[in-house]
């Protein structure tokens, strides 16, 4: 369906008035711009990538392209947006509940593989979640605009978040594969290194953690693991309150990752150590939760923030320094608030410049 | 110069279903209380169950805790459909539990079981929008004050009694008849 306006300024005001924006100005999705975006991925504009709840809107390629144009995407960014939409349309993402919860939850997009360059360039270093990189900002924003206009996520009406989160504007970055001592995240998940993969997971805003190395590698590694576990085991987090449900995203900066690698840690050992050490005592849980949360059959003295190391999504990204970050999840989703990965079809014309 | 642009808003293609389920008045029937894990939902629904038994001695009231904040699993829904004649799903008291309460009600309606979902006033519009997008705009909901959790016991009992008073007309006739 086409809309008409006297000029782009009027069109922008109409889009704002009709609740089609995130509150910021958008690029007007003119027929020509949307057609160019669709052409880039060589898909039928009427092809539905899935239904998006709560509205159960059909995510056609054309509607997703309109969101990508509005978000400021370049044509080469679009394949990543397509893959991210496919990922969140999967039943296991529980999109209706993710969009409607009172929790401060937003989809975070991680990109691995050649698409980080071919469909970007995307930022994997300093300020990955801040302003500055067009691909990071616009790809994440395109997904957010899909949620508003296709899923029907309306603040205060169908999105009942008590506070919401800045991640609902945009949250997207690439893994720093070249600066990581570990295999890339998508390879650890079973994809090949030359595949491009988007992984989407619903998470809170980042919680920073600081650990300054002293040069004693083994002791530094021990302190870093303990510090990460301490942040993961924040007793106010849903993961703890839910007795270990949901996933947790841990983003190590390359310096911290290298430190752990030098001390002999790999991905499996890091996640295992964090899982073991991230707990609150049952006495603390009983005192804080007042018996209001869920009774868990495990009468252990420790309440683990996560039950299994596989619930930790370990990523290496960010600039150099003493900070890494933890992003807890909601933990109430029917399918367990899990990360969903989808391969990115980079398409043959992805390297053409925008014109 | 006039410009043309794409409407970014997607259509909801879910067909709308007319709601027409009901149980017969004053006949023996088994009513399921579908109780989610929101704090005090079990207490409140216990009071609703007591009030229903008092008002309608011919009814058998059975409680089904979902142990979920979001929607119940299909196994429990199948069990309720096999064991009960009608259901009351509770409580829509937050964003995701409102979605779950609406989905539970619709899941039972789609199994042929008359159902009412109890939704607190803060989340009423959300429930309305979700019921519409799932194709069951007319499936019955009953509005409760907010909050239920943490409410003093006497007040909670009053709300429960009023809820019980209003429930059976919604289950015994279709909402179109009520309107």
């Amino acid at each position: 369906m086409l809309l008409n306006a006297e000029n782009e300024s009027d069109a922008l005001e109409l889009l704002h008035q009709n609740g089609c924006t995130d509150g910021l100005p958008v690029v007007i999705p003119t027929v020509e711009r949307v057609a160019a975006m669709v052409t880039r991925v060589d898909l039928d504009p009427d092809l539905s990538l899935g239904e998006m709840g709560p509205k159960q809107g059909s995510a056609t390629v054309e509607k997703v392209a309109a969101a990508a144009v509005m978000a400021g995407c370049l044509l080469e960014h679009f394949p990543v947006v397509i893959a991210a939409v496919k990922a969140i349309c999967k039943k296991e993402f529980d999109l209706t509940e993710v969009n409607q919860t009172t929790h401060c939850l937003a989809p975070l997009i991680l990109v691995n593989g050649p698409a980080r360059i071919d469909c970007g360039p995307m930022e994997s270093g300093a300020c990955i979640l801040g302003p500055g990189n067009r691909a990071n900002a616009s790809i994440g924003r395109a997904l957010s605009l899909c949620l508003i206009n296709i899923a029907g996520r309306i603040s205060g009406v169908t999105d009942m978040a008590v506070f919401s989160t800045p991640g609902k504007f945009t949250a997207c970055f690439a893994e720093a594969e070249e600066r990581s001592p570990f295999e890339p995240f998508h390879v650890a998940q079973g994809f090949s290194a030359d595949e491009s993969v988007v992984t989407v997971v619903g998470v809170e805003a980042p919680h920073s953690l600081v650990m300054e190395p002293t040069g004693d590698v083994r002791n530094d590694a021990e302190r870093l693991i303990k510090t990460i576990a301490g942040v993961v085991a924040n007793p106010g987090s849903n993961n703890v309150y839910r007795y270990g449900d949901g996933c947790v995203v841990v983003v190590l900066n390359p310096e911290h990752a290298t430190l752990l690698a030098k001390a002999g840690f790999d991905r499996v050992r890091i996640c295992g150590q964090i899982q073991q050490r991230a707990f609150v005592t049952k006495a603390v849980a009983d005192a804080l939760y007042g018996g209001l949360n869920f009774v868990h059959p495990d009468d252990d003295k420790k309440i683990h923030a996560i039950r299994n190391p596989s619930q930790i999504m370990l990523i290496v990204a960010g600039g150099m320094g003493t900070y890494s970050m933890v992003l807890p999840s909601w933990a109430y989703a029917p399918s367990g608030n899990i990360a969903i990965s989808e391969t990115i079809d980079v398409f043959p014309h992805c390297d053409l410049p925008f014109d | 110069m006039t410009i043309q642009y794409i409407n970014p808003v997607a259509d909801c293609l879910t067909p709308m279903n007319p709601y027409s389920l009901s149980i017969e008045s004053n006949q023996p029937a088994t009513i399921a209380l579908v109780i989610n894990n929101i704090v005090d939902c079990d207490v409140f629904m216990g009071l609703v169950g007591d009030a229903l038994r008092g008002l309608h001695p011919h009814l058998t009231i059975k409680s089904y805790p979902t142990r979920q904040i979001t929607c119940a699993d299909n196994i429990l829904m199948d069990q309720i459909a096999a064991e009960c004649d009608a259901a009351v799903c509770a409580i829509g008291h937050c964003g995701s539990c409102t979605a779950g309460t609406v989905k539970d009600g619709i899941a039972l309606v789609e199994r042929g079981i008359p159902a009412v979902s109890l939704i607190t006033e803060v989340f009423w519009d959300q429930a309305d929008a979700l019921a519409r997008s799932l194709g069951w705009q007319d499936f019955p909901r009953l509005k409760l004050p907010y909050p239920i959790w943490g409410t003093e016991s006497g007040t909670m009992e009053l709300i429960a009694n009023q809820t019980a008073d209003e429930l059976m007309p919604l289950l015994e006739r279709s909402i179109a008849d009520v309107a």
Side-chain angles (χ1 to χ4, degrees), chain B residues 57-77:
Chain B
H58 57 283
L59 296 179
T60 300
I61 310 296
K62 294 181 72 171
S63 295
Y64 292 87
T66 69
R67 306 191 194 290
Q68 299 288 336
I69 289 296
T70 53
C71 52
D73 61 54
N74 283 328
I75 295 171
L76 183 63
M77 293 289 102

Side-chain angles (χ1 to χ4, degrees), chain A residues 1-8 11 14-15 20 28-32 34 54-58 62-63 66 70 96-97 100-102 149-150 157-158 160 242 292 294 330 332-334, chain B residues 1-14 37-40 67-71 74 93-100 103 122-127 129-130 132-134:
Chain A
M1 178 180 153
L2 297 180
L3 302 174
N4 296 292
E6 285 298 309
N7 51 51
E8 295 218 359
L14 285 169
L15 288 168
C20 298
I28 305 305
T30 59
V31 172
E32 297 77 15
V34 173
K55 185 182 176 181
Q56 313 307 319
S58 178
E62 184 179 70
K63 295 296 184 188
M70 291 168 70
T96 294
E97 287 79 2
Q100 300 212 289
T101 176
T102 43
N149 290 314
I150 302 173
V157 179
T158 61
M160 301 306 290
R242 288 279 295 169
L292 291 177
F294 304 90
W330 173 39
Y332 282 94
Chain B
M1 184 181 74
T2 302
I3 62 166
Q4 283 195 316
Y5 59 105
I6 303 289
N7 181 359
V9 178
D11 294 324
C12 171
L13 302 178
T14 311
N37 243 354
I38 278 290
V39 172
D40 284 343
R67 306 191 194 290
Q68 299 288 336
I69 289 296
T70 53
C71 52
N74 283 328
H93 206 287
C94 65
S96 52
C97 64
T98 294
K103 283 186 169 183
V122 171
F123 299 94
W124 186 256
D125 290 346
Q126 178 205 337
L130 184 58
R132 194 165 55 245
S133 67
L134 294 175

Side-chain angles (χ1 to χ4, degrees), chain B residues 4-42:
Chain B
Q4 283 195 316
Y5 59 105
I6 303 289
N7 181 359
V9 178
D11 294 324
C12 171
L13 302 178
T14 311
M16 205 55 67
N17 301 286
Y19 180 85
S20 58
L21 299 173
S22 61
I23 56 174
E24 290 187 37
S25 303
N26 301 316
Q27 296 298 311
T30 302
I31 309 295
L33 303 183
V34 184
I35 302 168
N36 68 17
N37 243 354
I38 278 290
V39 172
D40 284 343
C41 186
D42 54 345

Side-chain angles (χ1 to χ4, degrees), chain A residues 76-90:
Chain A
E76 50 264 48
H77 302 159
F78 193 42
V80 183
V81 179
I82 290 277
V85 167
K86 285 182 182 176
I88 65 169
C89 284
K90 289 183 177 173

